[in-house]
Amino acid sequence: MSERQDELIRQDKRARRIETLMAELEIDPVLADLRQQLLETMLRTDGADDAARARLHAAARAVDTVRGHIRQAIADGKFARRALRELRDGRRRFF
């Protein structure tokens, strides 16, 4: 097995673990709620408190970054799964 196939298998396994955790722990709704709470708190801050608003905005962006990273790992795993299936079925020979 090639290094590329090993990497595809690793990506597939990682994505499957992430999907399982996301479903079992209901992480996506929790992150969405957290982001919403941060933005609502940001809107309620004193207009003169730029530092607090900046921190809350940065925290909301960090939540978005985490969600994006999770989604990308799942998408990479789906691609890897499809590529492995094509290799196995003889529809793809190399990358």
Side-chain angles (χ1 to χ4, degrees), residues 55-66:
R55 283 191 307 274
L56 289 163
H57 183 257
R61 286 184 52 195
V63 170
D64 289 339
T65 300
V66 168

Side-chain angles (χ1 to χ4, degrees), residues 2-93:
S2 72
E3 286 183 34
R4 179 64 180 141
Q5 284 176 309
D6 289 342
E7 177 64 19
L8 290 172
I9 291 168
R10 188 189 69 74
Q11 287 177 344
D12 178 38
K13 287 180 180 179
R14 179 178 182 219
R16 288 177 191 270
R17 285 191 311 269
I18 291 170
E19 288 172 320
T20 299
L21 286 172
M22 293 292 287
E24 287 177 358
L25 301 177
E26 299 178 2
I27 293 173
D28 200 45
V30 170
L31 291 175
D33 290 346
L34 173 60
R35 183 182 188 280
Q36 186 63 36
Q37 289 173 5
L38 290 166
L39 294 177
E40 288 172 2
T41 302
M42 184 177 76
L43 293 173
R44 287 193 307 266
T45 59
D46 183 8
D49 196 352
D50 290 337
R53 283 199 320 270
R55 283 191 307 274
L56 289 163
H57 183 257
R61 286 184 52 195
V63 170
D64 289 339
T65 300
V66 168
R67 289 173 80 189
H69 182 72
I70 290 169
R71 287 184 180 133
Q72 186 61 53
I74 291 171
D76 291 347
K78 288 179 181 179
F79 170 79
R81 204 170 302 144
R82 186 175 68 239
L84 287 166
R85 189 172 35 252
E86 289 174 0
L87 283 168
R88 184 187 63 236
D89 295 344
R91 292 180 286 163
R92 182 181 287 208
R93 290 189 216 154

